[in-house]
Amino acid sequence: MDLGINGKKALLMASSKGLGKAVALELSKEGVEVMICSRTEKDLVSAKNEIETVSGKKVHYIVGDVATSEGRATILKEAKSKLGVIDILVTNSGGPPFGAFENHSEQDWENAYKLLLESTVGMIRGVLPDMKANSWGRIITITSQAVKQPVDGLVLSNSIRASIVGLVKTLSNEMGEFNITVNNVMPGYTQTERLESLMEKNPALNEITNEIPLGRIGRPDEFAAAVTFLASQKASYITGISLPVDGGWIKGI
């Protein structure tokens, strides 16, 4: 299937590893010119080389921290310099610390807010003017299945990521007239370093496949395929949704 995005330009946050890198690879395979970013140059160089080898397409990268206004400004400036225009924005970030409510300080909450919500809002603000001027855009936020069905021990993520769902739905209503779609994708348990870390802290997660109807952990490429479809021209009539890619783990309707 031709997804109709060959030649489009995409900026992906937190994309040197895991789900972000998988999405960058999938978009690149579809002919999208991508810029990846994270805080660690070594990981970015490794991801860039891997994606270019597989897709045969040039990949740009920029070191920056999306949790700070300075980092976001640097990323956006470099992205516009290299790409010219940003047609597709995929927001993403690492997860905040594991722990129960009473184990987290006020600073923990502030850090999580900056990492998850403030970073998303700031990056969206940076790309909207050009998308509106071009009457085309795709904004896709990566959150977690926890925004629909909270996960024990992840109170910071459960709480703050849920606010992104409200942002996505509201913004999709406001941006429809400009042919800009805004959607949220909720990864379930997927084979990433983040999941391995959570399993070490919460051994009960090692039995999680018993709760997944498909009976297995997901693969990053399966998640990336869903995000890439939402970024495509084929998904031009889909906006304001929160799509779970979780093997059926969420039990609600």
Side-chain angles (χ1 to χ4, degrees):
M1 180 186 295
D2 180 5
L3 295 181
I5 49 176
N6 183 41
K8 294 293 187 183
K9 313 294 180 68
L11 172 60
L12 299 97
M13 296 162 54
S15 44
S16 65
K17 295 180 180 179
L19 298 180
K21 184 178 76 171
V23 174
L25 172 58
E26 197 67 25
L27 286 171
S28 186
K29 287 162 62 177
E30 289 295 326
V32 176
E33 187 176 354
V34 303
M35 171 167 276
I36 57 177
C37 71
S38 80
R39 293 175 294 180
T40 308
E41 185 166 18
K42 179 181 177 182
D43 293 337
L44 283 167
V45 171
S46 176
K48 167 186 164 67
N49 292 339
E50 178 183 340
I51 295 168
E52 288 183 339
T53 298
V54 174
S55 71
K57 303 292 183 181
K58 182 175 178 56
V59 175
H60 309 278
Y61 77 85
I62 176 68
V63 178
D65 185 355
V66 297
T68 69
S69 58
E70 296 82 5
R72 292 190 294 272
T74 298
I75 291 167
L76 286 163
K77 180 179 179 180
E78 184 70 8
K80 292 178 182 181
S81 171
K82 291 291 175 60
L83 300 177
V85 65
I86 299 168
D87 301 300
I88 300 165
L89 173 69
V90 180
T91 71
N92 185 32
S93 70
F98 176 87
F101 178 82
E102 293 180 314
N103 297 134
H104 294 300
S105 66
E106 184 175 342
Q107 187 63 54
D108 289 334
W109 282 94
E110 183 176 340
N111 291 344
Y113 168 81
K114 289 179 178 179
L115 176 67
L116 300 177
L117 182 59
E118 191 174 282
S119 66
T120 300
V121 171
M123 295 301 289
I124 292 174
R125 286 171 60 88
V127 303
L128 271 182
D130 286 344
M131 288 184 177
K132 290 172 69 175
N134 294 329
S135 295
W136 201 96
R138 298 286 187 267
I139 297 171
I140 301 165
T141 62
I142 297 177
T143 56
S144 166
Q145 61 187 4
V147 304
K148 292 292 186 179
Q149 186 171 311
V151 177
D152 291 344
L154 294 181
V155 63
L156 295 175
S157 182
N158 295 342
S159 303
I160 299 174
R161 287 193 199 273
S163 63
I164 297 174
V165 177
L167 168 66
V168 164
K169 191 61 179 178
T170 304
L171 195 59
S172 71
N173 293 336
E174 296 179 359
M175 291 299 114
E177 65 178 295
F178 301 104
N179 195 34
I180 299 169
T181 67
V182 189
N183 292 296
N184 173 50
V185 186
M186 306 178 293
Y189 294 104
T190 314
Q191 295 165 355
T192 62
E193 291 182 13
R194 165 73 170 169
L195 179 59
E196 291 175 3
S197 175
L198 290 174
M199 284 179 165
E200 289 178 3
K201 295 179 176 67
N202 184 5
L205 289 178
N206 288 287
E207 305 300 323
I208 198 61
T209 54
N210 296 330
E211 300 179 18
I212 301 172
L214 288 182
R216 64 177 176 85
I217 301 296
R219 302 191 313 271
D221 66 289
E222 293 174 310
F223 176 81
V227 175
T228 300
F229 176 73
L230 288 177
S232 76
Q233 189 61 35
K234 297 293 185 181
S236 57
Y237 202 56
I238 301 173
T239 194
I241 70 164
S242 284
L243 174 67
V245 185
D246 66 347
W249 180 82
I250 294 174
K251 299 303 185 287
I253 297 175

